[in-house]
Amino acid sequence: MPPGDDAGVIRLDSKRGLVETVDIITPLVNDPYMFGKIATVNSLSDIYAMGGTPLSALSIVGYPACDYDIEVVRLMIKGALDMLSEARVALLGGHCFEDTEIKFGLSVTGFIENDKILRYNTPQAGDLLVITKPIGTGILTTALKGQRLKDEDLNEAVKSMTTLNKEASRVAVEGGASACTDITGFGLLGHAVKMVSESRVDYVIEASGIPVFKGVKELAEKGIVPEGAYKNLEFYKDRVKFGAMVEEVMQLVLFDPQTSGGLLVSINREGLRHFDENGVSYWIIGRVVEGNGFVRVG
Ligand code: CO
Ligand code: CO
């Protein structure tokens, strides 16, 4: 597996392989139960991004023993167990260690069929480009930390971050998607660049078609943008061509680091029928054309 893949695969036989990943995050919402859910969905996401089926998980908990009530950890684990049961994943155990701040995540193991692995770097010219969740969670949670938003202002984003990519992954596999990844720390455009940079295609993205959570653009206009968005923009900008109409603020929104983001899928129109038939939400944000590994945003 190339290092850019979402998870590692070990081939077991001619049909199946094991797929493994690990992810740990720090709290981004105030409710420990919801944080447990988000961290869990986030940890499972890389398995789904590969087209795999998660089977078992081990929890990893860091917590400052002196400052925190153990109830916080209990609620976090409860959130994790609720999401794992929805995903039909068994929690086999875990490890707890003392840390300066709360950290939570899972190492996850799943099965994958060798001929159904979704690669991130094989998008096909002629496909449509689709995302399955709106973006802007980095900006919203930054605003929450800076007390510019109240907990309830994040309800829509929390609902999205606690939605498994399970169904989206299943229909992407069924629909014969040519490439797929999940949108996380590099932001929508960072992950888009990773997908095209090793291939002979370009992504042509229509900024106005990209779903963004309510209030995100307004916050970005006020300068409430996580440092990661600036870093992503700086790191990937050589591979992105912005049209004159794409404002600087929108460029940052498109590079906003996501937690538990949706899938970014290259798939043909026929394949998208599987999304429609199964009621999986998606937004067509652009198309894949022959090219040289650039992302063009208009
Ligand atoms: Co990933
Ligand atoms: Co990850």
Side-chain angles (χ1 to χ4, degrees), residues 45 48-52 118 130-133 163-177 179-182 261-265 267 271-272 274-275 278-282:
S45 182
Y48 293 128
M50 297 287 294
L118 293 174
V130 157
I131 64 173
T132 64
K133 289 181 183 181
T163 299
L164 295 167
N165 283 329
K166 181 182 183 181
E167 289 303 299
S169 166
R170 187 174 61 80
V171 293
V173 170
E174 281 176 12
C180 175
T181 195
D182 58 338
L263 299 182
L264 176 58
V265 188
I267 189 167
L272 269 182
H274 294 265
F275 283 70
N278 290 279
V280 176
S281 39
Y282 67 89

PDB file of all heavy atoms in Angstrom, residues 45 48-52 118 130-133 163-177 179-182 261-265 267 271-272 274-275 278-282:
ATOM      1  N   SER A  45     -13.613   5.782  10.111  1.00  0.00           N
ATOM      2  CA  SER A  45     -13.754   6.349   8.769  1.00  0.00           C
ATOM      3  C   SER A  45     -12.716   5.855   7.765  1.00  0.00           C
ATOM      4  O   SER A  45     -13.045   5.608   6.596  1.00  0.00           O
ATOM      5  CB  SER A  45     -13.713   7.879   8.866  1.00  0.00           C
ATOM      6  OG  SER A  45     -13.888   8.448   7.599  1.00  0.00           O
ATOM      7  N   TYR A  48     -13.731   2.611   6.192  1.00  0.00           N
ATOM      8  CA  TYR A  48     -14.791   2.810   5.186  1.00  0.00           C
ATOM      9  C   TYR A  48     -14.233   3.469   3.927  1.00  0.00           C
ATOM     10  O   TYR A  48     -14.645   3.141   2.809  1.00  0.00           O
ATOM     11  CB  TYR A  48     -15.923   3.658   5.763  1.00  0.00           C
ATOM     12  CG  TYR A  48     -16.702   2.983   6.870  1.00  0.00           C
ATOM     13  CD1 TYR A  48     -16.912   3.613   8.082  1.00  0.00           C
ATOM     14  CD2 TYR A  48     -17.236   1.701   6.684  1.00  0.00           C
ATOM     15  CE1 TYR A  48     -17.637   2.996   9.104  1.00  0.00           C
ATOM     16  CE2 TYR A  48     -17.947   1.075   7.698  1.00  0.00           C
ATOM     17  CZ  TYR A  48     -18.152   1.739   8.904  1.00  0.00           C
ATOM     18  OH  TYR A  48     -18.857   1.118   9.893  1.00  0.00           O
ATOM     19  N   ALA A  49     -13.295   4.403   4.107  1.00  0.00           N
ATOM     20  CA  ALA A  49     -12.717   5.094   2.948  1.00  0.00           C
ATOM     21  C   ALA A  49     -12.024   4.119   2.004  1.00  0.00           C
ATOM     22  O   ALA A  49     -11.921   4.359   0.810  1.00  0.00           O
ATOM     23  CB  ALA A  49     -11.737   6.166   3.417  1.00  0.00           C
ATOM     24  N   MET A  50     -11.553   2.984   2.544  1.00  0.00           N
ATOM     25  CA  MET A  50     -10.884   1.958   1.731  1.00  0.00           C
ATOM     26  C   MET A  50     -11.882   0.961   1.138  1.00  0.00           C
ATOM     27  O   MET A  50     -11.489   0.071   0.389  1.00  0.00           O
ATOM     28  CB  MET A  50      -9.887   1.179   2.594  1.00  0.00           C
ATOM     29  CG  MET A  50      -8.746   1.981   3.172  1.00  0.00           C
ATOM     30  SD  MET A  50      -7.499   2.450   1.963  1.00  0.00           S
ATOM     31  CE  MET A  50      -6.807   0.876   1.495  1.00  0.00           C
ATOM     32  N   GLY A  51     -13.148   1.061   1.541  1.00  0.00           N
ATOM     33  CA  GLY A  51     -14.141   0.085   1.086  1.00  0.00           C
ATOM     34  C   GLY A  51     -14.199  -1.147   1.975  1.00  0.00           C
ATOM     35  O   GLY A  51     -14.766  -2.170   1.593  1.00  0.00           O
ATOM     36  N   GLY A  52     -13.620  -1.062   3.174  1.00  0.00           N
ATOM     37  CA  GLY A  52     -13.585  -2.207   4.084  1.00  0.00           C
ATOM     38  C   GLY A  52     -14.763  -2.244   5.039  1.00  0.00           C
ATOM     39  O   GLY A  52     -15.572  -1.315   5.099  1.00  0.00           O
ATOM     40  N   LEU A 118     -11.011   0.408  -2.348  1.00  0.00           N
ATOM     41  CA  LEU A 118     -11.103   1.753  -2.907  1.00  0.00           C
ATOM     42  C   LEU A 118      -9.777   2.464  -2.690  1.00  0.00           C
ATOM     43  O   LEU A 118      -9.397   2.738  -1.561  1.00  0.00           O
ATOM     44  CB  LEU A 118     -12.230   2.546  -2.229  1.00  0.00           C
ATOM     45  CG  LEU A 118     -13.658   2.079  -2.463  1.00  0.00           C
ATOM     46  CD1 LEU A 118     -14.617   2.890  -1.591  1.00  0.00           C
ATOM     47  CD2 LEU A 118     -14.042   2.219  -3.933  1.00  0.00           C
ATOM     48  N   VAL A 130     -17.696  13.730  -6.080  1.00  0.00           N
ATOM     49  CA  VAL A 130     -18.817  13.783  -5.156  1.00  0.00           C
ATOM     50  C   VAL A 130     -18.307  13.855  -3.715  1.00  0.00           C
ATOM     51  O   VAL A 130     -17.307  13.212  -3.389  1.00  0.00           O
ATOM     52  CB  VAL A 130     -19.659  12.489  -5.374  1.00  0.00           C
ATOM     53  CG1 VAL A 130     -20.488  12.155  -4.171  1.00  0.00           C
ATOM     54  CG2 VAL A 130     -20.500  12.594  -6.631  1.00  0.00           C
ATOM     55  N   ILE A 131     -18.960  14.649  -2.848  1.00  0.00           N
ATOM     56  CA  ILE A 131     -18.678  14.548  -1.409  1.00  0.00           C
ATOM     57  C   ILE A 131     -19.966  14.192  -0.677  1.00  0.00           C
ATOM     58  O   ILE A 131     -21.068  14.470  -1.148  1.00  0.00           O
ATOM     59  CB  ILE A 131     -18.015  15.804  -0.785  1.00  0.00           C
ATOM     60  CG1 ILE A 131     -18.917  17.036  -0.838  1.00  0.00           C
ATOM     61  CG2 ILE A 131     -16.687  16.104  -1.407  1.00  0.00           C
ATOM     62  CD1 ILE A 131     -18.312  18.208  -0.059  1.00  0.00           C
ATOM     63  N   THR A 132     -19.802  13.566   0.498  1.00  0.00           N
ATOM     64  CA  THR A 132     -20.972  13.004   1.180  1.00  0.00           C
ATOM     65  C   THR A 132     -21.333  13.723   2.487  1.00  0.00           C
ATOM     66  O   THR A 132     -22.306  13.355   3.129  1.00  0.00           O
ATOM     67  CB  THR A 132     -20.760  11.502   1.472  1.00  0.00           C
ATOM     68  OG1 THR A 132     -19.664  11.353   2.375  1.00  0.00           O
ATOM     69  CG2 THR A 132     -20.482  10.729   0.185  1.00  0.00           C
ATOM     70  N   LYS A 133     -20.536  14.728   2.878  1.00  0.00           N
ATOM     71  CA  LYS A 133     -20.892  15.554   4.043  1.00  0.00           C
ATOM     72  C   LYS A 133     -20.474  16.989   3.754  1.00  0.00           C
ATOM     73  O   LYS A 133     -19.468  17.205   3.061  1.00  0.00           O
ATOM     74  CB  LYS A 133     -20.142  15.091   5.307  1.00  0.00           C
ATOM     75  CG  LYS A 133     -20.583  13.757   5.890  1.00  0.00           C
ATOM     76  CD  LYS A 133     -19.767  13.436   7.160  1.00  0.00           C
ATOM     77  CE  LYS A 133     -20.142  12.074   7.724  1.00  0.00           C
ATOM     78  NZ  LYS A 133     -19.378  11.755   8.954  1.00  0.00           N
ATOM     79  N   THR A 163     -22.215  10.761  12.079  1.00  0.00           N
ATOM     80  CA  THR A 163     -22.797   9.895  11.047  1.00  0.00           C
ATOM     81  C   THR A 163     -21.691   9.039  10.438  1.00  0.00           C
ATOM     82  O   THR A 163     -20.697   9.565   9.931  1.00  0.00           O
ATOM     83  CB  THR A 163     -23.481  10.745   9.950  1.00  0.00           C
ATOM     84  OG1 THR A 163     -24.527  11.511  10.546  1.00  0.00           O
ATOM     85  CG2 THR A 163     -24.064   9.858   8.853  1.00  0.00           C
ATOM     86  N   LEU A 164     -21.865   7.723  10.516  1.00  0.00           N
ATOM     87  CA  LEU A 164     -20.870   6.797   9.958  1.00  0.00           C
ATOM     88  C   LEU A 164     -20.771   6.949   8.442  1.00  0.00           C
ATOM     89  O   LEU A 164     -21.780   7.180   7.775  1.00  0.00           O
ATOM     90  CB  LEU A 164     -21.274   5.355  10.270  1.00  0.00           C
ATOM     91  CG  LEU A 164     -21.292   4.922  11.737  1.00  0.00           C
ATOM     92  CD1 LEU A 164     -22.023   3.586  11.863  1.00  0.00           C
ATOM     93  CD2 LEU A 164     -19.872   4.810  12.288  1.00  0.00           C
ATOM     94  N   ASN A 165     -19.567   6.757   7.904  1.00  0.00           N
ATOM     95  CA  ASN A 165     -19.402   6.723   6.450  1.00  0.00           C
ATOM     96  C   ASN A 165     -19.702   5.331   5.887  1.00  0.00           C
ATOM     97  O   ASN A 165     -19.384   5.033   4.730  1.00  0.00           O
ATOM     98  CB  ASN A 165     -17.980   7.151   6.068  1.00  0.00           C
ATOM     99  CG  ASN A 165     -17.802   8.656   6.169  1.00  0.00           C
ATOM    100  OD1 ASN A 165     -18.742   9.423   5.959  1.00  0.00           O
ATOM    101  ND2 ASN A 165     -16.596   9.094   6.515  1.00  0.00           N
ATOM    102  N   LYS A 166     -20.328   4.505   6.709  1.00  0.00           N
ATOM    103  CA  LYS A 166     -20.594   3.106   6.358  1.00  0.00           C
ATOM    104  C   LYS A 166     -21.421   2.953   5.074  1.00  0.00           C
ATOM    105  O   LYS A 166     -21.018   2.267   4.131  1.00  0.00           O
ATOM    106  CB  LYS A 166     -21.337   2.467   7.536  1.00  0.00           C
ATOM    107  CG  LYS A 166     -21.683   1.017   7.360  1.00  0.00           C
ATOM    108  CD  LYS A 166     -22.458   0.507   8.576  1.00  0.00           C
ATOM    109  CE  LYS A 166     -22.750  -0.967   8.429  1.00  0.00           C
ATOM    110  NZ  LYS A 166     -23.517  -1.500   9.548  1.00  0.00           N
ATOM    111  N   GLU A 167     -22.595   3.601   5.043  1.00  0.00           N
ATOM    112  CA  GLU A 167     -23.482   3.463   3.884  1.00  0.00           C
ATOM    113  C   GLU A 167     -22.856   4.101   2.647  1.00  0.00           C
ATOM    114  O   GLU A 167     -22.938   3.563   1.541  1.00  0.00           O
ATOM    115  CB  GLU A 167     -24.838   4.099   4.175  1.00  0.00           C
ATOM    116  CG  GLU A 167     -25.668   3.321   5.184  1.00  0.00           C
ATOM    117  CD  GLU A 167     -25.891   1.879   4.745  1.00  0.00           C
ATOM    118  OE1 GLU A 167     -26.501   1.674   3.683  1.00  0.00           O
ATOM    119  OE2 GLU A 167     -25.437   0.965   5.452  1.00  0.00           O
ATOM    120  N   ALA A 168     -22.234   5.268   2.838  1.00  0.00           N
ATOM    121  CA  ALA A 168     -21.591   5.957   1.712  1.00  0.00           C
ATOM    122  C   ALA A 168     -20.511   5.069   1.106  1.00  0.00           C
ATOM    123  O   ALA A 168     -20.378   4.973  -0.118  1.00  0.00           O
ATOM    124  CB  ALA A 168     -20.999   7.283   2.185  1.00  0.00           C
ATOM    125  N   SER A 169     -19.762   4.382   1.962  1.00  0.00           N
ATOM    126  CA  SER A 169     -18.703   3.488   1.495  1.00  0.00           C
ATOM    127  C   SER A 169     -19.298   2.311   0.720  1.00  0.00           C
ATOM    128  O   SER A 169     -18.812   1.947  -0.354  1.00  0.00           O
ATOM    129  CB  SER A 169     -17.920   2.976   2.712  1.00  0.00           C
ATOM    130  OG  SER A 169     -17.105   1.891   2.376  1.00  0.00           O
ATOM    131  N   ARG A 170     -20.350   1.744   1.276  1.00  0.00           N
ATOM    132  CA  ARG A 170     -20.976   0.575   0.637  1.00  0.00           C
ATOM    133  C   ARG A 170     -21.477   0.923  -0.774  1.00  0.00           C
ATOM    134  O   ARG A 170     -21.220   0.197  -1.729  1.00  0.00           O
ATOM    135  CB  ARG A 170     -22.135   0.076   1.505  1.00  0.00           C
ATOM    136  CG  ARG A 170     -22.756  -1.224   1.027  1.00  0.00           C
ATOM    137  CD  ARG A 170     -23.801  -1.727   2.017  1.00  0.00           C
ATOM    138  NE  ARG A 170     -24.913  -0.815   2.223  1.00  0.00           N
ATOM    139  CZ  ARG A 170     -25.949  -0.701   1.397  1.00  0.00           C
ATOM    140  NH1 ARG A 170     -26.025  -1.430   0.309  1.00  0.00           N
ATOM    141  NH2 ARG A 170     -26.917   0.169   1.651  1.00  0.00           N
ATOM    142  N   VAL A 171     -22.168   2.068  -0.906  1.00  0.00           N
ATOM    143  CA  VAL A 171     -22.692   2.415  -2.231  1.00  0.00           C
ATOM    144  C   VAL A 171     -21.577   2.864  -3.189  1.00  0.00           C
ATOM    145  O   VAL A 171     -21.703   2.689  -4.395  1.00  0.00           O
ATOM    146  CB  VAL A 171     -23.835   3.462  -2.165  1.00  0.00           C
ATOM    147  CG1 VAL A 171     -25.058   2.865  -1.498  1.00  0.00           C
ATOM    148  CG2 VAL A 171     -23.409   4.750  -1.489  1.00  0.00           C
ATOM    149  N   ALA A 172     -20.494   3.409  -2.627  1.00  0.00           N
ATOM    150  CA  ALA A 172     -19.356   3.764  -3.485  1.00  0.00           C
ATOM    151  C   ALA A 172     -18.737   2.495  -4.079  1.00  0.00           C
ATOM    152  O   ALA A 172     -18.399   2.457  -5.263  1.00  0.00           O
ATOM    153  CB  ALA A 172     -18.314   4.549  -2.690  1.00  0.00           C
ATOM    154  N   VAL A 173     -18.607   1.454  -3.257  1.00  0.00           N
ATOM    155  CA  VAL A 173     -18.081   0.165  -3.751  1.00  0.00           C
ATOM    156  C   VAL A 173     -19.049  -0.420  -4.775  1.00  0.00           C
ATOM    157  O   VAL A 173     -18.650  -0.801  -5.882  1.00  0.00           O
ATOM    158  CB  VAL A 173     -17.847  -0.825  -2.585  1.00  0.00           C
ATOM    159  CG1 VAL A 173     -17.542  -2.226  -3.119  1.00  0.00           C
ATOM    160  CG2 VAL A 173     -16.711  -0.342  -1.694  1.00  0.00           C
ATOM    161  N   GLU A 174     -20.330  -0.471  -4.409  1.00  0.00           N
ATOM    162  CA  GLU A 174     -21.343  -1.040  -5.311  1.00  0.00           C
ATOM    163  C   GLU A 174     -21.405  -0.295  -6.639  1.00  0.00           C
ATOM    164  O   GLU A 174     -21.623  -0.886  -7.691  1.00  0.00           O
ATOM    165  CB  GLU A 174     -22.733  -0.992  -4.658  1.00  0.00           C
ATOM    166  CG  GLU A 174     -22.968  -2.094  -3.651  1.00  0.00           C
ATOM    167  CD  GLU A 174     -24.326  -1.954  -2.961  1.00  0.00           C
ATOM    168  OE1 GLU A 174     -25.165  -1.143  -3.431  1.00  0.00           O
ATOM    169  OE2 GLU A 174     -24.522  -2.640  -1.967  1.00  0.00           O
ATOM    170  N   GLY A 175     -21.244   1.032  -6.557  1.00  0.00           N
ATOM    171  CA  GLY A 175     -21.332   1.855  -7.753  1.00  0.00           C
ATOM    172  C   GLY A 175     -20.044   1.860  -8.568  1.00  0.00           C
ATOM    173  O   GLY A 175     -19.936   2.584  -9.556  1.00  0.00           O
ATOM    174  N   GLY A 176     -19.049   1.090  -8.137  1.00  0.00           N
ATOM    175  CA  GLY A 176     -17.798   0.985  -8.897  1.00  0.00           C
ATOM    176  C   GLY A 176     -16.981   2.269  -8.910  1.00  0.00           C
ATOM    177  O   GLY A 176     -16.365   2.614  -9.924  1.00  0.00           O
ATOM    178  N   ALA A 177     -16.947   2.978  -7.776  1.00  0.00           N
ATOM    179  CA  ALA A 177     -16.152   4.214  -7.693  1.00  0.00           C
ATOM    180  C   ALA A 177     -14.709   3.929  -8.102  1.00  0.00           C
ATOM    181  O   ALA A 177     -14.160   2.879  -7.761  1.00  0.00           O
ATOM    182  CB  ALA A 177     -16.190   4.757  -6.263  1.00  0.00           C
ATOM    183  N   ALA A 179     -12.096   5.965  -7.311  1.00  0.00           N
ATOM    184  CA  ALA A 179     -11.198   6.403  -6.242  1.00  0.00           C
ATOM    185  C   ALA A 179     -12.014   6.992  -5.100  1.00  0.00           C
ATOM    186  O   ALA A 179     -13.125   7.485  -5.311  1.00  0.00           O
ATOM    187  CB  ALA A 179     -10.207   7.447  -6.753  1.00  0.00           C
ATOM    188  N   CYS A 180     -11.445   6.929  -3.898  1.00  0.00           N
ATOM    189  CA  CYS A 180     -12.169   7.419  -2.724  1.00  0.00           C
ATOM    190  C   CYS A 180     -11.185   7.705  -1.593  1.00  0.00           C
ATOM    191  O   CYS A 180     -10.192   7.006  -1.429  1.00  0.00           O
ATOM    192  CB  CYS A 180     -13.168   6.343  -2.280  1.00  0.00           C
ATOM    193  SG  CYS A 180     -14.054   6.702  -0.745  1.00  0.00           S
ATOM    194  N   THR A 181     -11.476   8.736  -0.813  1.00  0.00           N
ATOM    195  CA  THR A 181     -10.763   8.973   0.444  1.00  0.00           C
ATOM    196  C   THR A 181     -11.727   9.659   1.388  1.00  0.00           C
ATOM    197  O   THR A 181     -12.813  10.085   0.968  1.00  0.00           O
ATOM    198  CB  THR A 181      -9.481   9.820   0.213  1.00  0.00           C
ATOM    199  OG1 THR A 181      -8.654   9.735   1.370  1.00  0.00           O
ATOM    200  CG2 THR A 181      -9.800  11.278  -0.062  1.00  0.00           C
ATOM    201  N   ASP A 182     -11.360   9.769   2.674  1.00  0.00           N
ATOM    202  CA  ASP A 182     -12.210  10.552   3.578  1.00  0.00           C
ATOM    203  C   ASP A 182     -11.562  11.912   3.811  1.00  0.00           C
ATOM    204  O   ASP A 182     -10.329  12.048   3.799  1.00  0.00           O
ATOM    205  CB  ASP A 182     -12.500   9.803   4.888  1.00  0.00           C
ATOM    206  CG  ASP A 182     -11.237   9.411   5.646  1.00  0.00           C
ATOM    207  OD1 ASP A 182     -10.150   9.318   5.037  1.00  0.00           O
ATOM    208  OD2 ASP A 182     -11.346   9.204   6.870  1.00  0.00           O
ATOM    209  N   GLY A 261     -14.962  13.851   8.646  1.00  0.00           N
ATOM    210  CA  GLY A 261     -15.569  14.376   7.424  1.00  0.00           C
ATOM    211  C   GLY A 261     -16.150  13.258   6.557  1.00  0.00           C
ATOM    212  O   GLY A 261     -16.052  12.076   6.895  1.00  0.00           O
ATOM    213  N   GLY A 262     -16.753  13.675   5.453  1.00  0.00           N
ATOM    214  CA  GLY A 262     -17.365  12.705   4.549  1.00  0.00           C
ATOM    215  C   GLY A 262     -16.353  12.105   3.592  1.00  0.00           C
ATOM    216  O   GLY A 262     -15.153  12.335   3.689  1.00  0.00           O
ATOM    217  N   LEU A 263     -16.866  11.307   2.672  1.00  0.00           N
ATOM    218  CA  LEU A 263     -16.018  10.714   1.642  1.00  0.00           C
ATOM    219  C   LEU A 263     -15.940  11.653   0.447  1.00  0.00           C
ATOM    220  O   LEU A 263     -16.892  12.373   0.141  1.00  0.00           O
ATOM    221  CB  LEU A 263     -16.581   9.361   1.198  1.00  0.00           C
ATOM    222  CG  LEU A 263     -16.697   8.275   2.271  1.00  0.00           C
ATOM    223  CD1 LEU A 263     -17.227   6.979   1.643  1.00  0.00           C
ATOM    224  CD2 LEU A 263     -15.380   8.038   2.992  1.00  0.00           C
ATOM    225  N   LEU A 264     -14.801  11.630  -0.218  1.00  0.00           N
ATOM    226  CA  LEU A 264     -14.593  12.336  -1.483  1.00  0.00           C
ATOM    227  C   LEU A 264     -14.415  11.234  -2.526  1.00  0.00           C
ATOM    228  O   LEU A 264     -13.464  10.457  -2.442  1.00  0.00           O
ATOM    229  CB  LEU A 264     -13.359  13.233  -1.380  1.00  0.00           C
ATOM    230  CG  LEU A 264     -12.904  13.997  -2.609  1.00  0.00           C
ATOM    231  CD1 LEU A 264     -14.001  14.901  -3.149  1.00  0.00           C
ATOM    232  CD2 LEU A 264     -11.671  14.840  -2.279  1.00  0.00           C
ATOM    233  N   VAL A 265     -15.358  11.168  -3.465  1.00  0.00           N
ATOM    234  CA  VAL A 265     -15.452   9.986  -4.339  1.00  0.00           C
ATOM    235  C   VAL A 265     -15.424  10.389  -5.808  1.00  0.00           C
ATOM    236  O   VAL A 265     -16.106  11.323  -6.225  1.00  0.00           O
ATOM    237  CB  VAL A 265     -16.778   9.219  -4.068  1.00  0.00           C
ATOM    238  CG1 VAL A 265     -16.792   7.883  -4.816  1.00  0.00           C
ATOM    239  CG2 VAL A 265     -16.999   8.986  -2.582  1.00  0.00           C
ATOM    240  N   ILE A 267     -16.570   8.922  -9.235  1.00  0.00           N
ATOM    241  CA  ILE A 267     -17.515   7.863  -9.629  1.00  0.00           C
ATOM    242  C   ILE A 267     -18.279   8.328 -10.872  1.00  0.00           C
ATOM    243  O   ILE A 267     -18.494   9.537 -11.049  1.00  0.00           O
ATOM    244  CB  ILE A 267     -18.473   7.549  -8.449  1.00  0.00           C
ATOM    245  CG1 ILE A 267     -19.348   6.301  -8.717  1.00  0.00           C
ATOM    246  CG2 ILE A 267     -19.342   8.749  -8.097  1.00  0.00           C
ATOM    247  CD1 ILE A 267     -20.064   5.797  -7.469  1.00  0.00           C
ATOM    248  N   GLY A 271     -22.858   4.921 -11.621  1.00  0.00           N
ATOM    249  CA  GLY A 271     -22.540   4.446 -10.276  1.00  0.00           C
ATOM    250  C   GLY A 271     -23.294   5.213  -9.196  1.00  0.00           C
ATOM    251  O   GLY A 271     -23.625   4.674  -8.139  1.00  0.00           O
ATOM    252  N   LEU A 272     -23.563   6.491  -9.466  1.00  0.00           N
ATOM    253  CA  LEU A 272     -24.263   7.334  -8.485  1.00  0.00           C
ATOM    254  C   LEU A 272     -25.694   6.865  -8.227  1.00  0.00           C
ATOM    255  O   LEU A 272     -26.291   7.227  -7.215  1.00  0.00           O
ATOM    256  CB  LEU A 272     -24.282   8.794  -8.967  1.00  0.00           C
ATOM    257  CG  LEU A 272     -23.123   9.672  -8.520  1.00  0.00           C
ATOM    258  CD1 LEU A 272     -23.324  11.079  -9.039  1.00  0.00           C
ATOM    259  CD2 LEU A 272     -22.968   9.674  -7.007  1.00  0.00           C
ATOM    260  N   HIS A 274     -26.544   4.106  -7.246  1.00  0.00           N
ATOM    261  CA  HIS A 274     -26.526   3.349  -5.991  1.00  0.00           C
ATOM    262  C   HIS A 274     -26.692   4.267  -4.781  1.00  0.00           C
ATOM    263  O   HIS A 274     -27.252   3.865  -3.770  1.00  0.00           O
ATOM    264  CB  HIS A 274     -25.230   2.530  -5.880  1.00  0.00           C
ATOM    265  CG  HIS A 274     -25.142   1.446  -6.915  1.00  0.00           C
ATOM    266  ND1 HIS A 274     -25.527   0.162  -6.655  1.00  0.00           N
ATOM    267  CD2 HIS A 274     -24.751   1.485  -8.206  1.00  0.00           C
ATOM    268  CE1 HIS A 274     -25.347  -0.566  -7.756  1.00  0.00           C
ATOM    269  NE2 HIS A 274     -24.880   0.222  -8.708  1.00  0.00           N
ATOM    270  N   PHE A 275     -26.186   5.494  -4.897  1.00  0.00           N
ATOM    271  CA  PHE A 275     -26.400   6.480  -3.826  1.00  0.00           C
ATOM    272  C   PHE A 275     -27.887   6.834  -3.772  1.00  0.00           C
ATOM    273  O   PHE A 275     -28.500   6.841  -2.703  1.00  0.00           O
ATOM    274  CB  PHE A 275     -25.577   7.748  -4.079  1.00  0.00           C
ATOM    275  CG  PHE A 275     -24.114   7.618  -3.768  1.00  0.00           C
ATOM    276  CD1 PHE A 275     -23.276   6.831  -4.546  1.00  0.00           C
ATOM    277  CD2 PHE A 275     -23.559   8.284  -2.680  1.00  0.00           C
ATOM    278  CE1 PHE A 275     -21.920   6.715  -4.262  1.00  0.00           C
ATOM    279  CE2 PHE A 275     -22.204   8.177  -2.377  1.00  0.00           C
ATOM    280  CZ  PHE A 275     -21.383   7.395  -3.174  1.00  0.00           C
ATOM    281  N   ASN A 278     -30.244   4.091  -2.438  1.00  0.00           N
ATOM    282  CA  ASN A 278     -30.108   3.777  -1.016  1.00  0.00           C
ATOM    283  C   ASN A 278     -30.276   5.003  -0.121  1.00  0.00           C
ATOM    284  O   ASN A 278     -30.042   4.932   1.086  1.00  0.00           O
ATOM    285  CB  ASN A 278     -28.752   3.122  -0.758  1.00  0.00           C
ATOM    286  CG  ASN A 278     -28.684   1.717  -1.339  1.00  0.00           C
ATOM    287  OD1 ASN A 278     -29.168   0.773  -0.741  1.00  0.00           O
ATOM    288  ND2 ASN A 278     -28.126   1.591  -2.541  1.00  0.00           N
ATOM    289  N   GLY A 279     -30.663   6.124  -0.728  1.00  0.00           N
ATOM    290  CA  GLY A 279     -30.900   7.335   0.055  1.00  0.00           C
ATOM    291  C   GLY A 279     -29.655   7.867   0.760  1.00  0.00           C
ATOM    292  O   GLY A 279     -29.747   8.445   1.839  1.00  0.00           O
ATOM    293  N   VAL A 280     -28.481   7.653   0.169  1.00  0.00           N
ATOM    294  CA  VAL A 280     -27.243   8.193   0.749  1.00  0.00           C
ATOM    295  C   VAL A 280     -27.025   9.605   0.202  1.00  0.00           C
ATOM    296  O   VAL A 280     -27.002   9.803  -1.011  1.00  0.00           O
ATOM    297  CB  VAL A 280     -26.031   7.294   0.400  1.00  0.00           C
ATOM    298  CG1 VAL A 280     -24.739   7.909   0.907  1.00  0.00           C
ATOM    299  CG2 VAL A 280     -26.228   5.893   0.977  1.00  0.00           C
ATOM    300  N   SER A 281     -26.888  10.587   1.097  1.00  0.00           N
ATOM    301  CA  SER A 281     -26.764  11.964   0.604  1.00  0.00           C
ATOM    302  C   SER A 281     -25.387  12.223  -0.001  1.00  0.00           C
ATOM    303  O   SER A 281     -24.377  11.684   0.444  1.00  0.00           O
ATOM    304  CB  SER A 281     -27.072  12.982   1.699  1.00  0.00           C
ATOM    305  OG  SER A 281     -26.558  12.571   2.924  1.00  0.00           O
ATOM    306  N   TYR A 282     -25.382  13.036  -1.042  1.00  0.00           N
ATOM    307  CA  TYR A 282     -24.135  13.395  -1.720  1.00  0.00           C
ATOM    308  C   TYR A 282     -24.330  14.708  -2.450  1.00  0.00           C
ATOM    309  O   TYR A 282     -25.465  15.122  -2.723  1.00  0.00           O
ATOM    310  CB  TYR A 282     -23.709  12.296  -2.700  1.00  0.00           C
ATOM    311  CG  TYR A 282     -24.639  12.117  -3.886  1.00  0.00           C
ATOM    312  CD1 TYR A 282     -24.451  12.840  -5.069  1.00  0.00           C
ATOM    313  CD2 TYR A 282     -25.712  11.234  -3.821  1.00  0.00           C
ATOM    314  CE1 TYR A 282     -25.298  12.690  -6.148  1.00  0.00           C
ATOM    315  CE2 TYR A 282     -26.568  11.078  -4.892  1.00  0.00           C
ATOM    316  CZ  TYR A 282     -26.355  11.801  -6.051  1.00  0.00           C
ATOM    317  OH  TYR A 282     -27.217  11.659  -7.112  1.00  0.00           O
TER     318      TYR A 282
END
